[in-house]
Amino acid sequence: MKLSEVFGFDRSKLNWPLGLTVAVAIFVPLVLLALVGQDVYWLSVSFGVLFVGLGDPGGRLATRAAYAAVFGVIGAVVTAWGIAVGSAGWVLVTLSTVVITLATGLVIRFGVRRFVTGSLLTAWFLIAISLPPGFGAAGITLNPWLQALAWLAGAAAWFVLSSIVTVMRRRPERDPLVAELPTDTKGGALTKPVVAYSVLRTLAVSGAVAIAFGFQLPYADWMPLAAQVAMKPDARQSRLAATQRVVGTALGAVIAIVFLLTVDQTYVLAGVMVLLALVGGAFRTANYALYTTGIAGTALIALDISDPTNLADEGLRILFTLIGVGIAIGVMALAAVIARPSAGRDASVEAQA
C-alpha cells in the first residue's frame, strides 16, 4: 500500500474549528486546575472532554445531551473502577480488563455506533489502571470517586463548549466527530466471526495487561494501550483503515517518545498533548492515519506525563509499543482468516460497518 494512500487527505475535509474546540476544552481545565493546585485531576477531566467529544454523535441538542449524560456516567464508573483496581494485584486488574474489553466488544449487538464508543471506554480504562502506579511512585494516592467526578466534569465541559460553538456557527445539527462512527444504532446478530473477533481482542489486550502488571515491567503499560489503539475495532473494517490505524499508532508513539525524551517540564508535555488532540480533531475525517496519530500520541504521553526519562527508558517504551502493535497486527490477521468463510453471509453487516 502506497504512502500517498495512507497519508493522503482532502483539504476540504479539514476541520480546524473542531480541532480548536477540542484543544480549548482540554487546555482550559489544565490552567484552572493548576491555578487551584488540583492538577492531579487534570487527566481525568481532559480525557473526559476528549473521549466524550470523540464519541459525540452530533445532531440536535436533546440527542447530544442524552448521549453526554449516559456516556459521561458510564465513563465515570469506568474511571472509578480503573483507579480502584489499578493499585490492586495483577489478577484483579486482568480480570477487570477481560470484563471491560469483552463487554465493549459484544455491545455491537446494540449497534455499530455503540460498539465504537465502547472501544473509547476500553482505551480510557487502560489509561486509568496505569495512573495509580505512576502517581504512587511520586507518593500521590488517587481517590477513585473524585477522579470519577473529574471525568463527569470533563464530559459536561465538552457538552457546554461544543454547544456554544455549534450555536455560534448557527448549525443546529452537527456531524459526528469520528470518521468511523456510524449513526446507525440498529442492533445486529452476534455472528460467529463477530464473537470470535471480540474474544480475540479481549485475550490480546488482557494478556498484555497481565504481562505488564504481573511482572511489574517498567513502561509496559504502553503495550496494551498500543494494541488497543492499533487494533481495528471491527473485523470487517477496510484494509486501508486498518493500515492507517497501525501506522498512526506507531507514529503517535514516536512523537510521544521524542517529547518525553527531550522535555522534562510537565506543563510543556501537557501543551504537546493539547496540540496532538487538536490534530486528532482537525484531521478526523480528512485522514484517518493522522487522526490516529494525534489520539495515540495524546494517550501515550498521558501514561507517563509525570515521568519523562532517559534514552534507556524510552527504549523500553519503544519496545513495548512495537510489541503492542505487533499483537494488534497478529489479531487482525487471525480475525481475517476466521471472517473469510462467512464474508458472504455477513455482507449486510459489513456494509453497515
Side-chain angles (χ1 to χ4, degrees):
M1 187 172 294
K2 298 179 180 179
L3 285 178
S4 59
E5 294 181 275
V6 176
F7 290 105
F9 64 90
D10 184 350
R11 291 180 180 273
S12 65
K13 293 183 179 180
L14 283 172
N15 194 341
W16 291 113
L18 172 60
L20 288 172
T21 302
V22 173
V24 170
I26 293 177
F27 179 72
V28 171
L30 169 64
V31 174
L32 294 179
L33 289 171
L35 289 175
V36 298
Q38 297 295 328
D39 48 357
V40 68
Y41 299 108
W42 178 64
L43 285 176
S44 293
V45 173
S46 62
F47 275 91
V49 172
L50 180 62
F51 283 175
V52 172
L54 289 176
D56 193 324
R60 296 190 177 276
L61 185 64
T63 301
R64 296 182 54 247
Y67 156 77
V70 174
F71 191 87
V73 170
I74 295 175
V77 173
V78 170
T79 302
W81 187 0
I83 297 296
V85 303
S87 55
W90 71 273
V91 175
L92 184 57
V93 175
T94 303
L95 289 176
S96 298
T97 305
V98 169
V99 172
I100 291 288
T101 309
L102 186 60
T104 55
L106 296 179
V107 79
I108 194 173
R109 172 66 179 82
F110 303 102
V112 181
R113 185 173 71 79
R114 294 189 178 98
F115 169 65
V116 178
T117 54
S119 296
L120 295 174
L121 288 176
T122 303
W124 168 240
F125 179 76
L126 295 176
I127 296 173
I129 61 176
S130 302
L131 296 181
F135 279 94
I140 300 174
T141 301
L142 300 180
N143 184 302
W145 300 113
L146 292 180
Q147 293 292 330
L149 185 61
W151 166 278
L152 278 176
W158 169 261
F159 176 72
V160 171
L161 179 61
S162 59
S163 297
I164 292 173
V165 172
T166 300
V167 171
M168 291 177 63
R169 298 179 66 190
R170 299 180 180 179
R171 293 178 61 188
E173 294 188 5
R174 187 170 53 76
D175 296 333
L177 300 186
V178 183
E180 69 179 1
L181 193 61
T183 57
D184 193 353
T185 57
K186 181 180 178 181
L190 290 177
T191 62
K192 181 178 178 181
V194 170
V195 174
Y197 186 66
S198 296
V199 172
L200 283 174
R201 289 176 68 243
T202 300
L203 292 175
V205 175
S206 57
V209 168
I211 294 172
F213 282 79
F215 292 96
Q216 298 182 348
L217 301 173
Y219 313 114
D221 47 3
W222 281 45
M223 179 169 54
L225 185 59
Q228 160 67 18
V229 175
M231 212 177 302
K232 58 183 181 180
D234 193 327
R236 294 170 297 273
Q237 195 175 35
S238 71
R239 178 170 172 260
L240 174 60
T243 302
Q244 288 175 320
R245 288 186 74 91
V246 171
V247 172
T249 302
L251 184 57
V254 170
I255 293 173
I257 287 168
V258 168
F259 280 103
L260 286 169
L261 183 61
T262 58
V263 177
D264 59 0
Q265 296 294 323
T266 299
Y267 291 113
V268 175
L269 290 173
V272 173
M273 287 180 59
V274 171
L275 291 176
L276 288 171
L278 184 152
V279 170
F283 282 86
R284 58 100 185 181
T285 53
N287 181 270
Y288 195 36
L290 294 176
Y291 157 73
T292 307
T293 297
I295 300 307
T298 300
L300 292 172
I301 289 179
L303 290 180
D304 293 292
I305 191 171
S306 61
D307 187 24
T309 50
N310 55 45
L311 185 60
D313 291 333
E314 297 310 329
L316 290 174
R317 288 181 171 119
I318 293 174
L319 173 63
F320 288 121
T321 298
L322 293 177
I323 293 175
V325 171
I327 290 173
I329 294 173
V331 169
M332 289 188 293
L334 182 57
V337 173
I338 295 175
R340 191 175 299 128
S342 60
R345 296 193 301 271
D346 292 342
S348 60
V349 180
E350 181 177 357
Q352 178 192 34

